[in-house]
């Protein structure tokens, strides 16, 4: 019983810490007679550990009947652009590499992930978007960087 509570607690704490995306808009890419059209959606999320940074994520969303009922597997096509949208702040130390966003892109074992990496030599935050699957992921990816002013060193863990 206690093990179950611990697992549920860890799962919930992971959900609370994860960034959630807000949909900005979408465009249709292919007409589907039954169910929603295939789309490219644009979402935004704020970096959960770096104040003043927002990341814009575009990704394919499969439509049709399978897409309507949640059984479709989205393609691995995605792009990320992170920008400084306010004063940069670091409430705590930042790991050299950390997943800042994850969302399911199929009913089983496929996710779109965004990882933040720190480039201390250039004082920059680098964001990488990719998709993975339990057995085989995709090499399709996109990268962006947010420069941090030289007088504001990034506090590393």
């Amino acid at each position: 019983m206690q093990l179950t509570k611990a697992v549920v607690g860890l799962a919930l704490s992971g959900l609370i810490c994860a960034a959630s995306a807000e949909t900005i808009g979408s465009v249709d890419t292919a007409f589907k007679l039954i169910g929603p059209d295939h789309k490219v959606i644009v979402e935004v999320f704020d970096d959960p550990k770096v104040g003043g940074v927002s990341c814009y994520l575009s990704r394919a969303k499969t439509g049709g009947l399978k897409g309507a009922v949640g059984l479709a597997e989205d393609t691995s096509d995605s792009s990320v652009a992170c920008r400084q949208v306010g004063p940069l702040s670091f409430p705590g130390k930042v790991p050299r590499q950390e997943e800042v966003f994850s969302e399911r892109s199929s009913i089983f074992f496929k996710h779109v992930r965004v990882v933040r990496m720190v480039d201390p030599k250039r004082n920059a935050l680098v964001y990488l978007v990719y998709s993975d699957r339990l057995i085989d992921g995709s090499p399709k990816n996109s990268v962006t960087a947010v420069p941090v002013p030289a007088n504001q060193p990034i506090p590393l863990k």
Side-chain angles (χ1 to χ4, degrees):
M1 184 67 156
Q2 284 193 351
L3 179 62
T4 304
K5 286 181 183 178
V7 169
V8 169
L10 284 173
L12 289 176
S13 68
L15 290 174
I16 292 168
C17 294
S20 61
E22 170 187 338
T23 300
I24 299 294
S26 65
V27 295
D28 291 349
T29 59
F31 173 76
K32 299 305 283 179
L33 188 58
I34 300 175
D37 294 345
H38 294 321
K39 300 177 184 293
V40 172
I41 61 171
V42 176
E43 301 170 308
V44 63
F45 67 90
D46 297 324
D47 188 317
K49 290 191 179 170
V50 180
V53 173
S54 294
C55 295
Y56 295 86
L57 180 66
S58 68
R59 59 191 183 93
K61 191 78 173 156
T62 304
L65 190 55
K66 284 185 178 181
V69 295
L71 297 176
E73 182 172 307
D74 296 333
T75 66
S76 298
D77 302 306
S78 57
S79 179
V80 67
C82 297
R83 299 293 184 262
Q84 181 179 349
V85 295
L88 292 178
S89 64
F90 300 92
K93 294 188 178 206
V94 179
R96 283 189 176 268
Q97 182 170 318
E98 177 179 30
E99 184 174 284
V100 294
F101 178 81
S102 178
E103 190 167 290
R104 263 191 16 215
S105 57
S106 78
I107 192 166
F108 296 111
F109 311 120
K110 187 174 182 182
H111 293 85
V112 173
R113 300 185 189 278
V114 178
V115 174
R116 177 195 344 96
M117 301 173 193
V118 177
D119 179 356
K121 182 177 178 182
R122 292 159 195 85
N123 211 42
L125 303 168
V126 179
Y127 295 84
L128 168 73
V129 63
Y130 69 101
S131 69
D132 69 354
R133 201 171 8 184
L134 186 61
I135 303 300
D136 58 344
S138 171
K140 293 181 181 180
N141 63 81
S142 177
V143 68
T144 188
V146 175
V148 177
N151 64 350
Q152 186 178 14
I154 301 169
L156 286 173
K157 272 189 180 178

